[in-house]
Structures are given as structure tokens and as C-alpha cells.
Amino acid sequence: MRPVRSALAGALLAALTLAGCGQSSPAASPAATTSASAASTPSAAGFPVTVQAGNGAVAVARRPERIVSLSPTATEGLFAIGAGPQVIAVDDQSNHPADAPKSDLSSFKPNVEAIVAKKPDLVVISNDTDSLVAALGKVGVPVLLEPAATELDEAYDQITDLGAATGNVDRAAELVAGMRKQLDEIAAAAPKDTKLTYYHELDVTPYAATSSTFIGQIYGLFGLTNIADKAPEAAGGYPKLSAEFVAQADPDLIFLADTKCCGQSKDTLAKRPGWSKLSAIENDRVVPLDDDVASRWGPRVVDLARQVGDAVQKASAGR
């Protein structure tokens, strides 16, 4: 989820205005159906299948073998559930895993002709930019819209959707179960009642994320208090803060999600007016994050949670 420099800008902010996955599938359809409330999921060979996604009921006639992913998060999810061999192209922002078939396709300015030229039998996106769903629908290409998750359960549901749409149901279920277990263990191992405050920086503007966002809920697993929750315009989820606001709040921990895009570090923060004496800087509690991991809602949220948990452990021990 970054209002200026990262995928967070388009993906997670857009999620605030998108309705949840909601249309019901045809009652008489012979296809299996999966959704957040589905009682069962189809087997790997259970095609045709109808998947409830952000764009409603998506029918996938047969197991796709030419998948195009225009969502870095979906790309990570597809490879994590074993659908990598079915993926023939990913967008220019999909950089994980390293062997994903990266192309010059853009998710920000999608080119319908270029996408169709790949002869996909399934396209996965996180934003319906320029009515891409309708455009591809006209040429018979099924599109799975999986918008930025606003809570962990939505992230799990999307992985389940990918499993159903690609015939990798069991692997998707295993991944979700593993993520749940690891997040529970990481949160349980963290010190309780630390009363630590934190600031999560999205970019140098600086924009932040409140507790109501997906990223904020990850921090919520550790009982941290988010200084951005009291910022002006915090109700939007991603308030633009002033340097004075952060200095006055003086957070115990600072997490930087703008290290790769903007080269931010403890040293660069210390050069900002009024920040050199911040507790997080003086006590070496500035935590550099991987911009990509911190802006996606796929399998690597576990890695992010582990880094947050480690920072909480260290800060608590140093008190």
C-alpha cells in the first residue's frame, strides 16, 4: 500500500473505495464456487470453476496454462501456491520471486493489445485501470480482480481464490494455514503490554498508515500504538503528516517503507528539521523495511511481521 512512490499508492489506497467481493454465482451453474464464505473448494481437477473475486463471479472454464499477472502481490501468491509453471508473463513491477517471467507489461497503464498478444487464458489484476476487466472480457479472456486487502482475512481469501482459479486448491490451503500459524506464533512470542508507539513511513512526503489499514493491522498484532491515528485526516487511512507532528509524537519505533524508493535511513531522518533528537533515532530504533514486502499483502506479510516482532523484542529489552 505508497501514495507517491510505491505500489501502495495505487493498490492499497484504491482498496479504500472498492466494494468487497460480492456477487453471487449462478445458482444452476455446474461449476464449483469459492468465496470467503464458501463451504468447500474445488479439487485441482474440478473445472469449470467460478471464483468470487473483486469483479464478481469469474468463470474459469479449464485449468489455465497461460496466466498473466499484473499484480506483484498476485505474482507472489501464484508462485507460492505452485502455479508458477502456469504463469507466462508478469508485469514490470513483479520482482519476486526472481524467476518470475517479468515483462514490460504495465499494471498502471495496461495495454490491452499487448496483454492479448500473450494469449492468456487468465489475467490477474489488483486494479481495474481503464476498465481492463471489460476490455479483456470482450475478447473472451477471464480476469480475476484481487484488490488490495484491507485485513488479513481478505489476503487469505485471495490466496484461496488463486488456488481455485488455477487448480492449486490444496497448496493454497496449505499456504494460508501456514501463514496463520506463523503469524500467531510471531505475535505470541512478542512482549505484551509494551506501550510502545510507532510511526510507519510510506514515503518522504511523509505519508503514514493508520491502524485501520492492512499494514496497521499487522502492527496491531503486537499491541503497538500508531501515532498516525491522531493525525489530521487520519480517517482516510493514509494521512499526510508534518515533520512537526512526528517530532511532537516522538515515536518509540520508526519503520521505514521508503528505503529502496527513496533511500531513507536513520541518518537521513536525523537530518530532517527537529528529528535528530527523536527517541527512535537516539535509541537506534529506526527499522528499515523492504519497500515491496511492506506494500504487498501476500505470503511475505509473515516476513514483515517477523521483522516487526524482532524490533518490538529489541525495544522492550532496551527499556
Side-chain angles (χ1 to χ4, degrees), residues 155-238:
Y156 298 145
D157 287 344
Q158 290 188 12
I159 292 172
T160 301
D161 288 349
L162 293 177
T166 64
N168 294 278
V169 175
D170 292 342
R171 289 284 297 274
E174 291 172 4
L175 177 60
V176 168
M179 290 173 64
R180 289 183 184 275
K181 183 174 184 293
Q182 291 180 75
L183 287 176
D184 286 345
E185 291 174 348
I186 293 169
K192 301 298 184 294
D193 302 321
T194 62
K195 293 182 171 55
L196 292 168
T197 60
Y198 79 95
Y199 160 55
H200 177 94
E201 180 167 289
L202 297 173
D203 64 26
V204 296
T205 306
Y207 275 96
T210 68
S211 297
S212 66
T213 64
F214 180 85
I215 191 71
Q217 292 187 16
I218 299 298
Y219 288 105
L221 296 173
F222 303 93
L224 301 177
T225 298
N226 191 340
I227 68 165
D229 290 347
K230 294 184 178 180
E233 302 179 5
Y238 300 95

Coordinates of all heavy atoms in Angstrom, one line a residue, residues 155-238:
A155 N -6.7 -11.1 2.6 CA -5.4 -11.6 2.0 C -5.5 -13.2 1.9 O -5.1 -13.7 0.9 CB -4.2 -11.2 2.8
Y156 N -6.0 -13.8 2.9 CA -6.1 -15.3 2.9 C -7.2 -15.7 1.8 O -6.9 -16.6 1.1 CB -6.6 -15.8 4.3 CG -5.7 -15.5 5.4 CD1 -6.1 -15.2 6.7 CD2 -4.3 -15.6 5.2 CE1 -5.3 -15.0 7.7 CE2 -3.4 -15.3 6.3 CZ -3.9 -15.0 7.5 OH -3.1 -14.8 8.6
D157 N -8.2 -14.9 1.7 CA -9.3 -15.3 0.8 C -8.7 -15.2 -0.7 O -9.1 -16.0 -1.5 CB -10.5 -14.3 0.9 CG -11.3 -14.6 2.1 OD1 -11.2 -15.7 2.7 OD2 -12.1 -13.8 2.5
Q158 N -7.9 -14.2 -0.9 CA -7.3 -14.0 -2.2 C -6.4 -15.2 -2.6 O -6.4 -15.6 -3.8 CB -6.6 -12.7 -2.3 CG -7.6 -11.5 -2.3 CD -6.9 -10.2 -2.6 OE1 -5.7 -10.1 -3.0 NE2 -7.5 -9.1 -2.3
I159 N -5.7 -15.6 -1.7 CA -4.8 -16.8 -1.9 C -5.7 -18.0 -2.2 O -5.4 -18.8 -3.2 CB -3.9 -17.1 -0.7 CG1 -2.9 -15.9 -0.6 CG2 -3.2 -18.4 -0.9 CD1 -2.0 -16.0 0.6
T160 N -6.8 -18.1 -1.5 CA -7.7 -19.2 -1.8 C -8.3 -19.1 -3.2 O -8.5 -20.1 -3.9 CB -8.8 -19.2 -0.7 OG1 -8.3 -19.4 0.6 CG2 -9.8 -20.3 -1.0
D161 N -8.7 -17.9 -3.6 CA -9.2 -17.6 -4.9 C -8.2 -18.0 -6.0 O -8.5 -18.7 -7.0 CB -9.5 -16.1 -5.1 CG -10.7 -15.6 -4.3 OD1 -11.4 -16.5 -3.8 OD2 -10.9 -14.4 -4.3
L162 N -6.9 -17.7 -5.8 CA -5.9 -18.0 -6.7 C -5.7 -19.6 -6.9 O -5.6 -20.1 -7.9 CB -4.5 -17.4 -6.3 CG -4.4 -15.9 -6.4 CD1 -3.1 -15.4 -5.9 CD2 -4.7 -15.4 -7.8
G163 N -5.9 -20.2 -5.7 CA -5.8 -21.7 -5.7 C -6.9 -22.3 -6.5 O -6.7 -23.2 -7.3
A164 N -8.1 -21.8 -6.3 CA -9.3 -22.3 -7.0 C -9.2 -22.0 -8.5 O -9.5 -22.9 -9.3 CB -10.6 -21.8 -6.4
A165 N -8.8 -20.8 -8.9 CA -8.8 -20.4 -10.3 C -7.7 -21.1 -11.1 O -7.8 -21.2 -12.3 CB -8.6 -18.9 -10.4
T166 N -6.7 -21.6 -10.4 CA -5.5 -22.2 -11.1 C -5.4 -23.7 -10.9 O -4.5 -24.3 -11.5 CB -4.2 -21.6 -10.6 OG1 -4.0 -21.9 -9.2 CG2 -4.2 -20.1 -10.8
G167 N -6.3 -24.3 -10.1 CA -6.3 -25.7 -9.9 C -5.2 -26.1 -8.8 O -4.7 -27.3 -8.8
N168 N -4.9 -25.2 -8.0 CA -4.0 -25.5 -6.9 C -4.6 -25.3 -5.5 O -4.0 -24.6 -4.6 CB -2.7 -24.6 -7.1 CG -1.9 -24.9 -8.3 OD1 -1.1 -25.8 -8.3 ND2 -2.2 -24.1 -9.4
V169 N -5.7 -25.9 -5.3 CA -6.5 -25.6 -4.1 C -5.8 -26.1 -2.9 O -5.7 -25.4 -1.9 CB -7.9 -26.4 -4.2 CG1 -8.7 -26.3 -2.9 CG2 -8.7 -25.8 -5.4
D170 N -5.2 -27.3 -2.9 CA -4.6 -27.8 -1.7 C -3.4 -27.0 -1.3 O -3.2 -26.7 -0.1 CB -4.2 -29.3 -2.0 CG -5.4 -30.2 -2.1 OD1 -6.5 -29.8 -1.7 OD2 -5.2 -31.4 -2.6
R171 N -2.6 -26.6 -2.3 CA -1.4 -25.8 -2.0 C -1.8 -24.5 -1.4 O -1.1 -24.0 -0.5 CB -0.5 -25.7 -3.3 CG 0.2 -26.9 -3.7 CD 1.4 -27.2 -2.9 NE 2.4 -26.2 -3.0 CZ 3.4 -26.1 -3.9 NH1 3.4 -27.0 -4.9 NH2 4.2 -25.1 -3.9
A172 N -2.9 -23.9 -1.9 CA -3.3 -22.6 -1.4 C -3.8 -22.8 0.0 O -3.5 -21.9 0.9 CB -4.5 -22.1 -2.3
A173 N -4.5 -23.8 0.3 CA -5.0 -24.1 1.7 C -3.8 -24.3 2.6 O -3.8 -23.8 3.8 CB -5.9 -25.3 1.7
E174 N -2.8 -25.0 2.2 CA -1.6 -25.2 3.0 C -0.9 -23.9 3.3 O -0.4 -23.6 4.4 CB -0.6 -26.2 2.3 CG -1.2 -27.6 2.2 CD -0.3 -28.5 1.3 OE1 0.8 -28.0 0.9 OE2 -0.6 -29.6 1.1
L175 N -0.8 -23.0 2.3 CA -0.1 -21.7 2.4 C -0.8 -20.9 3.4 O -0.2 -20.3 4.3 CB 0.0 -21.0 1.1 CG 0.6 -19.6 1.1 CD1 2.0 -19.6 1.6 CD2 0.5 -19.0 -0.3
V176 N -2.2 -20.8 3.3 CA -2.9 -20.0 4.2 C -2.8 -20.5 5.7 O -2.6 -19.7 6.6 CB -4.4 -20.0 3.8 CG1 -5.3 -19.4 4.9 CG2 -4.6 -19.2 2.5
A177 N -2.9 -21.8 5.8 CA -2.8 -22.4 7.2 C -1.4 -22.1 7.7 O -1.2 -21.8 8.9 CB -3.0 -23.9 7.1
G178 N -0.4 -22.2 6.9 CA 1.0 -21.9 7.4 C 1.2 -20.4 7.8 O 1.8 -20.1 8.8
M179 N 0.6 -19.5 7.0 CA 0.7 -18.1 7.3 C 0.0 -17.8 8.6 O 0.5 -17.1 9.5 CB 0.0 -17.3 6.2 CG 0.8 -17.3 4.9 SD -0.1 -16.4 3.5 CE -0.2 -14.8 4.2
R180 N -1.2 -18.4 8.8 CA -1.9 -18.2 10.0 C -1.1 -18.6 11.2 O -1.0 -17.9 12.3 CB -3.3 -18.9 10.0 CG -4.3 -18.3 9.1 CD -5.6 -19.1 9.2 NE -6.6 -18.7 8.3 CZ -7.5 -17.7 8.5 NH1 -7.4 -17.0 9.6 NH2 -8.4 -17.4 7.6
K181 N -0.6 -19.8 11.1 CA 0.2 -20.4 12.2 C 1.5 -19.6 12.5 O 1.7 -19.3 13.7 CB 0.6 -21.8 11.8 CG 1.4 -22.6 12.9 CD 1.6 -24.0 12.5 CE 2.3 -24.9 13.6 NZ 3.7 -24.4 13.8
Q182 N 2.2 -19.2 11.5 CA 3.4 -18.4 11.7 C 3.1 -17.0 12.3 O 3.8 -16.6 13.2 CB 4.1 -18.2 10.4 CG 4.8 -19.5 9.9 CD 5.5 -19.3 8.6 OE1 6.6 -18.7 8.6 NE2 4.9 -19.7 7.5
L183 N 2.0 -16.4 11.9 CA 1.7 -15.1 12.4 C 1.3 -15.2 13.9 O 1.6 -14.3 14.7 CB 0.6 -14.4 11.6 CG 1.0 -13.9 10.2 CD1 -0.2 -13.4 9.4 CD2 2.0 -12.8 10.3
D184 N 0.5 -16.2 14.2 CA 0.1 -16.5 15.6 C 1.3 -16.7 16.5 O 1.4 -16.1 17.6 CB -0.8 -17.7 15.7 CG -2.2 -17.4 15.1 OD1 -2.6 -16.2 14.9 OD2 -3.0 -18.4 14.9
E185 N 2.3 -17.5 16.0 CA 3.5 -17.7 16.8 C 4.3 -16.5 16.9 O 4.9 -16.3 18.0 CB 4.3 -18.9 16.1 CG 3.6 -20.2 16.1 CD 4.3 -21.3 15.3 OE1 5.3 -20.9 14.5 OE2 4.0 -22.5 15.4
I186 N 4.5 -15.7 15.9 CA 5.3 -14.5 16.0 C 4.7 -13.5 17.0 O 5.4 -12.9 17.8 CB 5.4 -13.8 14.6 CG1 6.3 -14.7 13.7 CG2 6.1 -12.5 14.7 CD1 6.2 -14.3 12.2
A187 N 3.4 -13.3 16.9 CA 2.7 -12.4 17.8 C 2.7 -12.9 19.2 O 2.9 -12.1 20.2 CB 1.2 -12.2 17.3
A188 N 2.6 -14.2 19.4 CA 2.6 -14.8 20.8 C 4.0 -14.7 21.4 O 4.1 -14.5 22.6 CB 2.2 -16.3 20.7
A189 N 5.0 -14.7 20.6 CA 6.4 -14.6 21.2 C 6.8 -13.2 21.5 O 7.8 -13.0 22.2 CB 7.4 -15.1 20.1
A190 N 6.0 -12.2 21.1 CA 6.4 -10.8 21.3 C 6.0 -10.4 22.7 O 5.0 -10.9 23.3 CB 5.7 -9.9 20.3
P191 N 6.7 -9.5 23.3 CA 6.4 -9.0 24.7 C 5.0 -8.3 24.7 O 4.6 -7.7 23.7 CB 7.5 -7.9 25.0 CG 8.6 -8.3 24.1 CD 8.0 -8.8 22.8
K192 N 4.3 -8.5 25.8 CA 3.0 -7.9 25.9 C 3.0 -6.6 26.7 O 3.8 -6.4 27.5 CB 2.0 -8.9 26.5 CG 2.0 -10.3 25.8 CD 1.4 -10.1 24.4 CE 1.2 -11.4 23.6 NZ 2.5 -12.1 23.4
D193 N 2.0 -5.8 26.5 CA 1.8 -4.6 27.2 C 3.1 -3.7 27.2 O 3.5 -3.1 28.3 CB 1.4 -4.9 28.7 CG 0.1 -5.7 28.7 OD1 -0.8 -5.4 27.9 OD2 0.0 -6.6 29.6
T194 N 3.7 -3.6 26.1 CA 4.9 -2.8 26.0 C 4.6 -1.3 26.0 O 5.5 -0.5 26.3 CB 5.7 -3.1 24.7 OG1 4.8 -2.8 23.6 CG2 6.0 -4.6 24.7
K195 N 3.4 -0.9 25.6 CA 3.0 0.5 25.5 C 4.0 1.3 24.5 O 4.2 2.5 24.7 CB 3.0 1.2 26.8 CG 1.8 0.7 27.7 CD 1.8 1.4 29.1 CE 0.6 1.0 29.9 NZ 0.4 -0.5 30.1
L196 N 4.5 0.6 23.5 CA 5.4 1.2 22.6 C 4.6 1.9 21.5 O 3.5 1.4 21.1 CB 6.3 0.2 21.9 CG 7.3 -0.4 22.8 CD1 8.0 -1.6 22.1 CD2 8.4 0.6 23.2
T197 N 5.0 3.1 21.1 CA 4.4 3.8 20.0 C 5.3 3.7 18.7 O 6.5 3.4 18.8 CB 4.2 5.3 20.3 OG1 5.5 5.9 20.5 CG2 3.3 5.5 21.5
Y198 N 4.7 3.8 17.6 CA 5.4 3.7 16.3 C 4.9 4.6 15.2 O 3.8 5.1 15.3 CB 5.4 2.2 15.8 CG 4.1 1.8 15.1 CD1 4.0 1.9 13.7 CD2 3.0 1.4 15.8 CE1 2.9 1.6 13.0 CE2 1.8 1.1 15.1 CZ 1.8 1.2 13.8 OH 0.6 0.8 13.1
Y199 N 5.8 4.8 14.2 CA 5.5 5.6 13.0 C 5.9 4.7 11.8 O 7.1 4.3 11.8 CB 6.2 6.9 13.1 CG 6.3 7.6 11.8 CD1 5.3 7.9 11.0 CD2 7.6 8.0 11.3 CE1 5.4 8.6 9.7 CE2 7.8 8.7 10.1 CZ 6.7 9.0 9.3 OH 6.8 9.6 8.1
H200 N 5.0 4.5 10.9 CA 5.3 3.7 9.7 C 5.3 4.7 8.6 O 4.3 5.3 8.2 CB 4.3 2.6 9.5 CG 4.5 1.9 8.2 ND1 5.2 0.7 8.1 CD2 4.1 2.1 6.9 CE1 5.2 0.2 6.9 NE2 4.6 1.1 6.1
E201 N 6.5 4.9 8.0 CA 6.6 5.9 6.9 C 6.5 5.3 5.5 O 7.2 4.3 5.2 CB 8.0 6.6 7.0 CG 8.2 7.7 5.9 CD 9.3 8.6 6.2 OE1 9.2 9.4 7.1 OE2 10.4 8.5 5.5
L202 N 5.6 5.8 4.7 CA 5.3 5.3 3.4 C 6.3 6.0 2.4 O 6.7 5.3 1.4 CB 3.9 5.5 3.0 CG 2.8 4.8 3.8 CD1 1.5 5.2 3.4 CD2 3.0 3.3 3.6
D203 N 6.5 7.3 2.5 CA 7.4 8.0 1.7 C 7.9 9.2 2.4 O 7.5 9.5 3.5 CB 6.8 8.3 0.3 CG 5.6 9.2 0.4 OD1 5.5 10.0 1.3 OD2 4.7 9.1 -0.5
V204 N 8.7 10.0 1.7 CA 9.3 11.2 2.3 C 8.4 12.4 2.4 O 8.8 13.4 2.9 CB 10.6 11.5 1.6 CG1 11.6 10.4 1.7 CG2 10.4 11.9 0.1
T205 N 7.2 12.3 1.9 CA 6.3 13.4 1.9 C 6.1 14.1 3.3 O 6.2 15.3 3.4 CB 4.9 13.0 1.4 OG1 5.1 12.4 0.1 CG2 4.0 14.2 1.3
P206 N 5.9 13.4 4.5 CA 5.7 12.0 4.6 C 4.3 11.6 4.7 O 3.5 12.2 5.4 CB 6.5 11.7 5.9 CG 6.3 12.9 6.7 CD 6.1 14.1 5.8
Y207 N 3.9 10.5 4.1 CA 2.6 9.8 4.3 C 2.8 8.7 5.3 O 3.9 8.1 5.3 CB 2.1 9.3 3.0 CG 1.3 10.3 2.2 CD1 1.9 11.0 1.2 CD2 0.0 10.6 2.4 CE1 1.2 11.9 0.4 CE2 -0.7 11.5 1.7 CZ -0.1 12.2 0.7 OH -0.8 13.1 -0.1
A208 N 1.8 8.4 6.0 CA 1.8 7.3 7.0 C 0.6 6.4 6.8 O -0.3 6.8 6.0 CB 1.9 7.8 8.4
A209 N 0.5 5.3 7.5 CA -0.6 4.4 7.5 C -1.2 4.3 8.9 O -0.4 4.1 9.9 CB -0.2 3.1 7.0
T210 N -2.5 4.4 9.0 CA -3.1 4.3 10.4 C -3.4 2.8 10.7 O -3.2 1.9 9.9 CB -4.4 5.1 10.4 OG1 -5.4 4.4 9.6 CG2 -4.2 6.5 9.9
S211 N -3.9 2.6 11.9 CA -4.3 1.3 12.4 C -5.4 0.7 11.6 O -5.6 -0.6 11.6 CB -4.6 1.3 13.9 OG -3.6 1.8 14.6
S212 N -6.2 1.5 10.9 CA -7.3 0.9 10.1 C -6.9 0.3 8.8 O -7.7 -0.3 8.2 CB -8.3 2.1 9.8 OG -7.8 3.0 9.0
T213 N -5.7 0.5 8.4 CA -5.2 -0.1 7.1 C -4.7 -1.5 7.3 O -4.5 -2.0 8.4 CB -4.1 0.8 6.6 OG1 -2.9 0.7 7.5 CG2 -4.5 2.2 6.4
F214 N -4.4 -2.2 6.2 CA -3.9 -3.5 6.2 C -2.5 -3.5 7.0 O -2.3 -4.3 7.9 CB -3.7 -4.1 4.8 CG -3.1 -5.5 4.8 CD1 -3.9 -6.6 4.9 CD2 -1.7 -5.7 4.7 CE1 -3.4 -7.8 4.9 CE2 -1.2 -6.9 4.6 CZ -2.0 -8.0 4.8
I215 N -1.7 -2.6 6.6 CA -0.4 -2.6 7.3 C -0.5 -2.3 8.8 O 0.2 -2.8 9.6 CB 0.6 -1.5 6.6 CG1 2.0 -1.7 7.1 CG2 0.1 -0.1 6.8 CD1 2.7 -2.9 6.6
G216 N -1.5 -1.4 9.1 CA -1.7 -1.1 10.5 C -2.2 -2.3 11.3 O -1.8 -2.4 12.5
Q217 N -2.9 -3.2 10.7 CA -3.4 -4.4 11.4 C -2.2 -5.3 11.7 O -2.2 -6.1 12.6 CB -4.5 -5.1 10.6 CG -5.7 -4.2 10.5 CD -6.9 -5.0 9.9 OE1 -6.9 -6.2 9.7 NE2 -7.9 -4.2 9.5
I218 N -1.2 -5.3 10.8 CA 0.0 -6.1 11.1 C 0.7 -5.7 12.4 O 1.0 -6.4 13.3 CB 1.0 -6.1 9.9 CG1 0.3 -6.6 8.6 CG2 2.3 -6.9 10.3 CD1 -0.1 -8.1 8.7
Y219 N 0.8 -4.4 12.5 CA 1.4 -3.8 13.7 C 0.5 -4.0 14.9 O 1.0 -4.2 16.0 CB 1.6 -2.3 13.6 CG 2.8 -2.0 12.6 CD1 2.6 -1.5 11.4 CD2 4.1 -2.1 13.0 CE1 3.6 -1.2 10.5 CE2 5.2 -1.8 12.2 CZ 4.9 -1.3 10.9 OH 5.9 -1.0 10.1
G220 N -0.8 -4.1 14.7 CA -1.8 -4.3 15.7 C -1.6 -5.7 16.4 O -2.0 -5.8 17.6
L221 N -1.0 -6.6 15.7 CA -0.8 -7.9 16.3 C 0.2 -7.8 17.5 O 0.2 -8.7 18.3 CB -0.1 -8.9 15.2 CG -1.0 -9.2 14.0 CD1 -0.1 -10.0 13.0 CD2 -2.2 -10.0 14.4
F222 N 0.9 -6.8 17.6 CA 1.9 -6.6 18.6 C 1.5 -5.6 19.7 O 2.3 -5.3 20.5 CB 3.3 -6.3 18.0 CG 3.7 -7.2 17.0 CD1 3.5 -7.1 15.6 CD2 4.4 -8.4 17.4 CE1 3.9 -8.0 14.7 CE2 4.8 -9.3 16.4 CZ 4.5 -9.1 15.1
G223 N 0.3 -5.1 19.6 CA -0.2 -4.1 20.6 C 0.5 -2.8 20.6 O 0.5 -2.1 21.6
L224 N 1.0 -2.4 19.4 CA 1.7 -1.1 19.3 C 0.7 0.0 19.1 O -0.4 -0.2 18.5 CB 2.7 -1.1 18.1 CG 3.8 -2.2 18.2 CD1 4.7 -2.1 16.9 CD2 4.7 -2.0 19.4
T225 N 1.0 1.2 19.5 CA 0.2 2.4 19.3 C 0.7 3.2 18.2 O 1.9 3.6 18.1 CB 0.1 3.2 20.6 OG1 -0.4 2.5 21.7 CG2 -0.7 4.5 20.4
N226 N -0.2 3.4 17.2 CA 0.2 4.1 16.0 C 0.0 5.6 16.1 O -1.1 6.1 16.4 CB -0.7 3.6 14.8 CG -0.2 4.1 13.5 OD1 0.5 5.1 13.3 ND2 -0.7 3.4 12.4
I227 N 1.1 6.4 16.0 CA 1.0 7.9 16.2 C 0.1 8.5 15.1 O -0.5 9.5 15.3 CB 2.3 8.6 16.2 CG1 3.0 8.5 14.8 CG2 3.2 8.0 17.3 CD1 4.2 9.4 14.7
A228 N 0.0 7.8 13.9 CA -0.7 8.4 12.8 C -2.2 8.4 13.1 O -3.0 9.1 12.4 CB -0.4 7.7 11.5
D229 N -2.7 7.6 14.0 CA -4.1 7.6 14.3 C -4.7 8.9 14.8 O -5.9 9.1 14.7 CB -4.4 6.5 15.4 CG -4.2 5.1 14.8 OD1 -4.1 4.9 13.6 OD2 -4.2 4.1 15.6
K230 N -3.8 9.7 15.4 CA -4.3 11.0 15.9 C -4.0 12.2 14.9 O -4.1 13.3 15.3 CB -3.7 11.3 17.2 CG -4.1 10.3 18.3 CD -3.6 10.7 19.7 CE -4.1 9.8 20.8 NZ -3.5 10.1 22.1
A231 N -3.5 11.8 13.7 CA -3.2 12.9 12.8 C -4.4 13.5 12.1 O -5.4 12.8 12.0 CB -2.2 12.3 11.7
P232 N -4.3 14.7 11.6 CA -5.4 15.3 10.8 C -5.6 14.4 9.6 O -4.7 13.9 9.0 CB -4.9 16.6 10.4 CG -3.9 17.0 11.5 CD -3.2 15.7 11.8
E233 N -6.9 14.2 9.2 CA -7.3 13.4 8.1 C -6.9 12.0 8.2 O -6.8 11.2 7.2 CB -6.6 14.0 6.8 CG -7.0 15.4 6.5 CD -6.4 16.0 5.2 OE1 -5.7 15.2 4.5 OE2 -6.5 17.2 5.0
A234 N -6.8 11.5 9.5 CA -6.4 10.1 9.7 C -7.5 9.2 9.2 O -7.2 8.0 8.9 CB -6.1 9.9 11.2
A235 N -8.7 9.7 9.2 CA -9.8 8.8 8.8 C -9.7 8.2 7.4 O -10.3 7.2 7.0 CB -11.2 9.6 8.9
G236 N -8.8 8.9 6.5 CA -8.6 8.3 5.2 C -7.7 7.1 5.2 O -7.6 6.5 4.2
G237 N -7.1 6.9 6.3 CA -6.2 5.7 6.4 C -4.7 6.0 6.1 O -3.8 5.3 6.6
Y238 N -4.5 7.0 5.3 CA -3.1 7.3 4.9 C -2.9 8.8 5.0 O -2.8 9.6 4.0 CB -2.9 6.9 3.4 CG -3.0 5.4 3.3 CD1 -4.3 4.8 2.8 CD2 -2.0 4.5 3.6 CE1 -4.4 3.5 2.7 CE2 -2.2 3.1 3.5 CZ -3.4 2.6 3.0 OH -3.6 1.3 2.9

